[in-house]
Amino acid sequence: MPVAQIEFSGELMDFIEEWKEKPGNLIMLLHRIQEEFGYIPREAAEKLSRIIGLPLAKIYGVITFYHFFKTTKPGKHRISICLGTACYLRGSQDLLDETQSILNIKGDEITDDGLFSIDAVRCLGCCGLAPVLMIDNEIYGKVVKEQLPEIIAKYRSN
Amino acid sequence: MAYKNYILVCGGTGCESSKSDELFKALHQQAEAQGVKNDVQIVKTGCFGFCEKGPIVKVLPQESFYVEVKPEDAKEIVAEQVVKGREVKRLLYRKGEKADSNVKIEDIEFYQKQFRVVLRNCGVINPENIDEYIAREGYTGLERALFKMKPDDIVNELKVSGLRGRGGAGFPTWLKWDLTKKAPGDVKYVVCNADEGDPGAYMNRSTIEGDPHSLIEAMIICGYTIGARQGYIYIRAEYPLAIERLKIAIRQAKEYGLLGTNILGSGFDFDLEIRLGAGAFVCGEETALLRSLEGNRGMPVPKPPFPAISGLWKKPTVINNVETYVNISVIMSKGAQWYAKIGTEKSRGTKTFALTGKIQNSGLVEVPMGTTLREIIFDIGGGIRGGKKFKGVQTGGPSGGIITAESLDQPISYESLTALGSMMGSGGMIIMDEDDCVVDIAKFYMAFCVDESCGKCAPCRIGTNQMHAILDKISKGQGTEDDLAKLEKIGKAMTKASLCMLGGSAANPTLSTLRHFREEYLEHIRDHKCRAGKCKDLVVYEIDAAKCIGCGLCARKCPVPCIAGEKKQPHVIDQARCIKCGECYKACKFGAVIKK
Ligand SMILES: Cc1cc2nc3c(=O)[nH]c(=O)nc-3n(C[C@H](O)[C@H](O)[C@H](O)COP(=O)(O)O)c2cc1C
Ligand code: FES
């Protein structure tokens, strides 16, 4: 099997170097890789497996156990809609349905232009502002579904 | 006081999302531009708790309490208050309807019944500056521990304080520490559970964001007591701000010789490391958390052995919740006698709650144990939004149960909440009103547990799925009365036979709603009716011809569209095509659209 190629940045390599010998480091390393690529590409997992000498199966076992880790590439803008209890009670399921229908995508899909993907998440920690959604790192609180087209439009142009 | 004014800006996640950071910068710019830079100190603090009205700004010494402040308001605050010494009336919190310039924090209903021990520094100090923590008796508890007390004295101090674990189960903290201290072995660990997985609960996050040193101090004390040299804080990756503040606090503590080797010259060494969770609710369970810390899939293991004997890397380990630790810092500085006076006989101290859902004032509150639910929900929380009727309150999140109106006068304690069929949990308190459907809520929580079950044990893996399927059927009007008995049977089996308390408590929301609201379940089954109108398959929208004036608003709002009618004539909904989105119901100004 040909060895897959993927570049790791200098900072990422430094981080791996720093954590390589620490016990129980795998989750921290995966977080750092996801920070770099936005998800965990298979090639990156393979490369990590070689660097730290851990079987790929074990790495995938961990990746797939945790909701936070993604194995598919997300859209350029990630829309996270909170389905935590506080937001659910204040109508966030409607926000999710409406956003899916505006963008015409479901689940892990990304829009054809690669601009958007949607994550249903649990509690963004701003329950006082429920219902809440987050695009990239910007939080929108007390959102009503009528605002969605306008909010999404802001991200279409860039 | 060197400064004329101090402006405290809330820097909690909630307020930062409503642009408190921009506001903070704008205030700085304005102070500079208006030439009063040296008259005012502007500080970014942790959460004030009153999240509903954020961003919050407090100005000292006048104690002006401003709510919903925008970056654009910075200019006026500086020009009026700092330059001219006048309050900005329009931003002041209003009690009732009329503007009242003299509403001080202690006059605000939201704060009146609160008593802040855990949150004592939140919204008061700058969490990114260790000196401010030290100025408020910070690290005096550690000093006392290291130089005036032996490990056994500390255990005894905790025993006298009566402190019990705040992560949910209420296990006596002194006993946990004592067991770990006595467990054989040279290498031991201190772990903090900051996984806070209950969706809709954010007490731990706000505490760390507002007062990170308080956690660090107690973990060092724990290390000294049990003989550990390494500690880990396991925190949700979804809490970037809290993680950042912890990193800063750990760095500062190292610079001050409070972490590292030979702490304060005592000869004791202790270090702390942050480890991130990765979005798995089960990792809040202590044995699963420890597996995750070891870099594995976070699956629980049977107890015993308890972590006190065999924990992280099979070494004796103390694992406590964030709030438990923060209480310890206070106990060690103010003394156990002082602490033991707060709360009830068996549940001492205070408890923080995240008040959310259909409540008027969402936010973070802290009350002495023994406060009643009514005081929390109606006095502090301001009651239900929009004048709706209270239906119930869920404590303990997906592991807890619903508590109804007749129990509102119960004083809160570990025992009382358990007796009511719920549990203390970590402090999520979710308020529901008449528009919430118990079947829908039970289904919501069960879907959560299906998702979060780690799959290791069959009762939880299969039971949650089966219960969810039945609840789904009922919500669609396809349930039978037998199904209710089945829910109870599977629920009981899961409760008894699951490996950990995730499965062991997953049936609670269903069983408790069944107990209190059986009639509503039966309505779904027999009458195919959801009185709250939440179960979409059961709702029917109709137009009352007598009330409809034919304005056509509903027809324009309908996304299908399936509403027809001549202008000024009653309209009709085509039931076959209706998708039950409820837009017409919301749009009609004449109450002509009825929901059945
Ligand atoms: C499914 C499940 C989730 C839990 N989640 C948390 C949590 O998010 N935070 C927490 O402190 N304890 C949680 N616990 C409780 C922990 O297992 C453990 O009891 C607690 O960390 C002990 O700390 P304490 O004695 O200070 O309460 C959870 C337990 C279960 C069964
Ligand atoms: S439940 Fe949505 S932010 Fe907490």
Side-chain angles (χ1 to χ4, degrees), chain B residues 248-265:
Chain B
I248 296 172
I250 290 177
R251 200 177 59 228
Q252 290 177 345
K254 281 189 182 156
E255 282 164 15
Y256 276 58
L258 293 159
L259 274 176
T261 47
N262 193 16
I263 291 173
L264 298 176

Side-chain angles (χ1 to χ4, degrees), chain A residues 16-157:
Chain A
I16 296 176
E17 207 43 52
E18 182 194 336
W19 279 80
K20 210 171 149 184
E21 300 303 327
K22 292 197 189 182
N25 55 10
L26 181 55
I27 292 172
M28 297 303 280
L29 291 168
L30 292 172
H31 271 297
R32 187 61 186 80
I33 290 175
Q34 179 150 306
E35 196 183 313
E36 179 120 335
F37 299 100
Y39 71 114
I40 301 177
R42 173 155 181 119
E43 299 78 26
E46 285 174 6
K47 184 161 174 161
L48 181 69
S49 153
R50 285 192 300 275
I51 300 177
I52 61 173
L54 208 61
L56 191 60
K58 156 96 190 183
I59 295 180
Y60 263 84
V62 169
I63 294 176
T64 52
F65 184 83
Y66 295 97
H67 296 296
F68 198 84
F69 297 131
K70 302 266 171 261
T71 51
T72 52
K73 193 175 161 75
K76 181 169 172 213
H77 301 294
R78 297 177 67 160
I79 306 181
S80 308
I81 298 181
C82 179
L83 287 189
T85 319
C87 288
Y88 181 79
L89 284 187
R90 289 197 191 175
S92 64
Q93 182 69 44
D94 285 348
L95 294 183
L96 177 62
D97 296 345
E98 184 76 9
T99 311
Q100 289 181 334
S101 109
I102 292 175
L103 297 174
N104 201 14
I105 50 174
K106 276 207 167 73
D108 279 342
E109 293 169 1
I110 55 177
T111 49
D112 291 339
D113 52 13
L115 274 184
F116 297 102
S117 58
I118 307 174
D119 291 308
V121 298
R122 295 220 187 85
C123 197
L124 293 163
C126 330
C127 323
L129 302 175
V132 173
L133 65 84
M134 178 167 87
I135 305 190
D136 303 334
N137 280 322
E138 181 119 10
I139 299 247
Y140 295 85
K142 302 190 180 170
V143 181
V144 289
K145 121 176 141 179
E146 285 72 21
Q147 294 172 308
L148 286 170
E150 196 189 325
I151 295 177
I152 292 171
K154 282 207 283 189
Y155 295 83
R156 281 203 200 274
S157 45

